[in-house]
């Protein structure tokens, strides 16, 4: 990959993808949707939930068939970018054993092989050589297609077309300077938590750096004490807090961010703030790009390969 920022500079191009549903005639639209996915494939599901809160979506990121209360009104989608995610393949195995109908989304691998063998509805994603966490455009469009959400697809493509990648890169590069030499701790309300978690994962995988995420107000009831105390003041040089906020967060949550800033400042901690209107799809994806650029620039600063995850691959090798 000649351009280390290729997945980001071409990010908007993903949204020109027109998913083709194989065996579409067998696909029945249902009121409730359960999507099974791990890692980047699971993050796409969480993003869909904040992009379209009117959709009844449940994420299942574990082994085995999820609990399905009403099979007649539920669409089960298996999403594995590689097609070889063992947790998702275990869902497929159990679904077949119990006669539960499902559809699939993947670049290929065993999941698509099974979809072809079983003649079930599925979408084959473009394989462009990028990590699943960067391929969220292809995955989200594929999921919307399987859910029959054509209007939402058109709406989303318009929002992405307005994204300012240049400004996102500038903001990401600037954020990197604050991150160097520190462990990031990311806080957000539930409105932007999927984005905050995505940024955390990007730092983990891309920058090869421990990074932590939690949700406000829950973190104020426990985690807060671990940082704001005289006994841990010596640790302030090791961490930076990143507040991911929406102007539409609950007023008391916005106040919590303000009080946290004051307390952490008193203890000598560094603080960075990222703002995005969680009701504006363009702003959400610009925030995602900002975080992706920051994680990639941080990888460069640390001398790390932003795209290879050898320790994760070694773990998977030993698991198999």
């Amino acid at each position: 990959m000649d351009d280390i920022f290729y997945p980001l500079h071409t990010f908007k191009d993903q949204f020109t993808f027109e998913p083709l549903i194989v065996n579409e005639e067998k696909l029945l639209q249902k009121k409730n949707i359960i999507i099974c996915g791990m890692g980047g494939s699971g993050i796409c599901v969480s993003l869909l939930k904040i992009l379209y809160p009117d959709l009844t979506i449940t994420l299942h990121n574990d082994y085995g068939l999820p609990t399905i209360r009403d099979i007649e009104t539920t669409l089960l989608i298996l999403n594995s970018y590689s097609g070889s995610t063992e947790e998702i393949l275990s869902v497929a195995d159990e679904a077949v054993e119990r006669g539960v109908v499902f559809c699939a989304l993947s670049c290929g691998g065993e999941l698509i092989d099974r979809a072809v063998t079983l003649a079930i509805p599925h979408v084959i994603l473009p394989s462009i050589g990028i990590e699943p966490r960067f391929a969220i455009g292809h995955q989200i469009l594929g999921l919307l297609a399987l859910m029959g959400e054509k209007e939402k697809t058109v709406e989303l493509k318009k929002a992405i077309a307005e994204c300012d990648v240049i400004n996102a890169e500038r903001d990401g590069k600037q954020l990197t300077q604050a991150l160097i030499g520190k462990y990031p701790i990311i806080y957000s309300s539930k409105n932007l938590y999927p984005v905050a978690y995505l940024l955390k994962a990007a730092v983990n995988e891309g920058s090869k750096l421990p990074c932590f995420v939690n949700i406000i107000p829950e973190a104020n009831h426990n985690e807060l004490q671990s940082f704001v105390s005289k006994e841990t003041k010596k640790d302030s040089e090791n961490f930076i807090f990143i507040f991911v906020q929406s102007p539409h967060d609950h007023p008391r949550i916005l106040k919590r961010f303000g009080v946290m800033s004051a307390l952490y400042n008193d203890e000598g901690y560094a603080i960075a703030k990222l703002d995005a209107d969680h009701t504006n799809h363009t702003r959400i994806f610009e925030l995602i790009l900002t975080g992706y650029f920051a994680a990639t620039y941080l990888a460069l600063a640390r001398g790390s390969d932003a795209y290879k995850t050898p320790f994760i691959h070694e773990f998977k090798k030993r698991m198999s």
Side-chain angles (χ1 to χ4, degrees):
M1 190 180 297
D2 295 332
D3 178 11
I4 191 173
F5 297 102
Y6 169 79
L8 307 181
H9 289 156
T10 61
F11 180 77
K12 292 167 68 172
D13 295 343
Q14 289 187 42
F15 290 85
T16 62
F17 173 49
E18 297 290 342
L20 172 66
I21 303 176
V22 181
N23 299 318
E24 185 174 9
E25 69 281 1
K26 296 182 178 181
L27 182 62
L28 300 177
Q29 298 306 321
K30 304 292 182 69
K31 175 182 178 182
N32 302 308
I33 303 151
I34 298 177
I35 307 176
C36 306
M38 307 296 301
S41 298
I43 287 174
C44 293
V45 182
S46 299
L47 286 174
L48 274 174
K49 293 179 71 172
I50 63 169
L51 291 169
Y52 303 108
D54 60 307
L55 293 177
T56 310
I57 301 176
T58 301
L59 169 64
H60 177 73
N61 52 353
D62 202 349
Y63 290 95
L65 195 65
T67 300
I68 304 177
R69 292 182 173 82
D70 186 354
I71 192 65
E72 297 300 322
T73 63
T74 302
L75 175 65
L76 180 65
I77 303 176
L78 275 55
N79 182 24
S80 168
Y81 188 71
S82 67
S84 60
T85 310
E86 67 172 71
E87 296 94 332
I88 306 308
L89 292 178
S90 79
V91 177
D93 289 340
E94 191 170 334
V96 172
E97 289 176 5
R98 295 174 57 180
V100 176
V101 177
F102 62 91
C103 54
L105 180 74
S106 178
C107 288
E110 292 182 53
L111 183 59
I112 294 301
D113 289 344
R114 296 184 192 191
V116 171
T117 300
L118 297 169
I120 64 170
H122 62 276
V123 170
I124 300 177
L125 299 173
S127 182
I128 58 175
I130 62 176
E131 294 293 315
R133 67 183 183 276
F134 292 111
I136 58 178
H138 287 156
Q139 293 182 76
I140 287 176
L141 290 180
L143 290 170
L144 287 174
L146 289 171
M147 291 186 281
E149 296 290 348
K150 295 181 180 180
E151 290 185 8
K152 287 180 170 57
T153 298
V154 172
E155 172 189 299
L156 183 60
K157 289 187 174 186
K158 289 181 179 178
I160 297 299
E162 297 176 2
C163 283
D164 191 330
V165 178
I166 294 176
N167 281 344
E169 181 169 6
R170 179 203 63 203
D171 293 343
K173 191 174 184 179
Q174 182 177 348
L175 176 60
T176 302
Q177 299 307 308
L179 297 177
I180 292 175
K182 297 184 182 297
Y183 298 116
I185 301 164
I186 307 174
Y187 288 129
S188 77
S189 74
K190 66 178 182 180
N191 291 327
L192 284 170
Y193 183 74
V195 177
Y197 188 87
L198 182 150
L199 302 187
K200 175 257 187 194
V203 172
N204 290 154
E205 294 185 61
S207 308
K208 315 298 184 292
L209 188 70
C211 181
F212 310 94
V213 65
N214 210 333
I215 195 166
I216 303 300
E218 180 60 32
N220 295 154
H221 293 270
N222 38 66
E223 191 169 303
L224 178 71
Q225 187 60 62
S226 66
F227 294 103
V228 182
S229 69
K230 299 304 178 186
E231 290 77 9
T232 60
K233 190 170 185 178
K234 62 181 180 296
D235 292 331
S236 61
E237 64 184 27
N238 299 322
F239 297 96
I240 179 171
F241 292 97
I242 303 175
F243 296 158
V244 181
Q245 301 174 236
S246 168
H248 300 295
D249 283 341
H250 191 285
R252 295 293 294 176
I253 287 180
L254 293 175
K255 182 172 183 177
R256 284 175 181 270
F257 279 122
V259 174
M260 289 165 67
S261 293
L263 288 171
Y264 289 145
N265 273 324
D266 290 345
E267 293 290 320
Y269 288 97
I271 296 172
K273 296 182 180 179
L274 296 174
D275 297 302
D277 181 350
H278 77 280
T279 67
N280 185 311
H281 294 175
T282 301
R283 299 295 171 260
I284 287 176
F285 281 95
E286 286 177 342
L287 177 58
I288 290 171
L289 285 169
T290 295
Y292 276 160
F293 274 115
T296 307
Y297 273 111
L298 186 57
L300 286 173
R302 288 171 48 80
S304 300
D305 188 315
Y307 302 114
K308 293 182 179 179
T309 52
F311 201 65
I312 293 176
H313 285 290
E314 177 62 22
F315 177 83
K316 290 181 178 179
K317 180 181 177 182
R318 296 193 185 191
M319 285 296 295
S320 64

